[in-house]
Amino acid sequence: MREILGRRRRLLSQRGDGRPDPIGAALTYATQWQWPVLPGVAADPQARSRCGCPDPECTVPGAHPFDPGLLAATTDARMVRWWWANRPTAPIVLATGGKAPCAVSLPALPAARALAALDRAGLRLGPVVAAPTRWSLLVKPYSMEQLGELLYAKDFVPGSLRFHGEGGYLALPPSGTGRGAVRWERAPLPGSATPWVPDVEAVVDAVVDALTRTGVSAPEL
């Protein structure tokens, strides 16, 4: 049965009045779903298109770990509360891999068209995170060896596909970044158990097939 996840009454990343609720979302991810998270570096308050980190040419402004580093990601409720009590608008960064989901991402326009094709084909998808320039499909954890074998077997893999595996990260809703807000395109239900996510093979096969069949160009972004 197809799930229309993007149209649910209230997302877990929002308060009852519709405003973003970063600390509530971070606690759900960490304590209910056991996804390790940490606060990301904020965008530069003087110019939100720039990052608050020391790199003047940062390619993911306001959407990556910095202080603390990625290894600090945790599921501990006390640490999560302390972080967001002191940095209430900090982006929520998921440390991908391990027991947490991994992700496959691609540029936003091809992603929207690919998802429509996957819906028509009846493929069940898990949550999908939408940032202004890229969408990320959450998948089950995979190893680098597993990913390497999967890609090696392909005749063609779009160069704009990115893989967020062990040692990677991903900004989750309702993060605000230098490029804009991160939201759910396909959202888990509020109060739900740990969201179901598909195998990486199913997602990569379907995305590559959809991009190839629809002739969608997926430029590097």
Side-chain angles (χ1 to χ4, degrees), residues 13-120:
S13 55
Q14 293 178 343
R15 305 177 194 272
D17 59 7
R19 291 183 299 162
D21 182 21
I23 190 168
L27 284 168
T28 295
Y29 302 143
T31 63
Q32 184 173 326
W33 299 351
Q34 293 295 293
W35 293 0
V37 297
L38 74 162
V41 62
D44 186 336
Q46 303 301 318
R48 289 199 58 82
S49 62
R50 296 200 304 261
C51 192
C53 75
D55 183 359
E57 299 181 359
C58 179
T59 58
V60 283
H64 67 90
F66 176 63
D67 183 18
L70 185 62
L71 293 179
T74 184
T75 58
D76 182 77
R78 292 174 298 177
M79 194 72 242
V80 170
R81 287 193 183 96
W82 186 86
W83 274 334
W84 271 274
N86 287 278
R87 299 166 60 181
T89 61
I92 304 170
V93 175
L94 168 70
T96 55
K99 294 182 179 180
C102 295
V104 177
S105 72
L106 64 161
L109 180 58
R113 294 178 178 174
L115 259 63
L118 301 183
D119 283 342
R120 290 192 296 270

Side-chain angles (χ1 to χ4, degrees), residues 159-202:
S160 58
L161 282 181
R162 294 179 187 167
F163 300 91
H164 308 256
E166 184 75 32
Y169 61 87
L170 184 70
L172 294 177
S175 299
T177 75
R179 290 181 175 168
V182 179
R183 60 177 177 83
W184 292 111
E185 174 63 24
R186 304 288 175 90
L189 275 172
S192 64
T194 303
W196 177 88
V197 292
D199 291 325
V200 66
E201 291 90 346

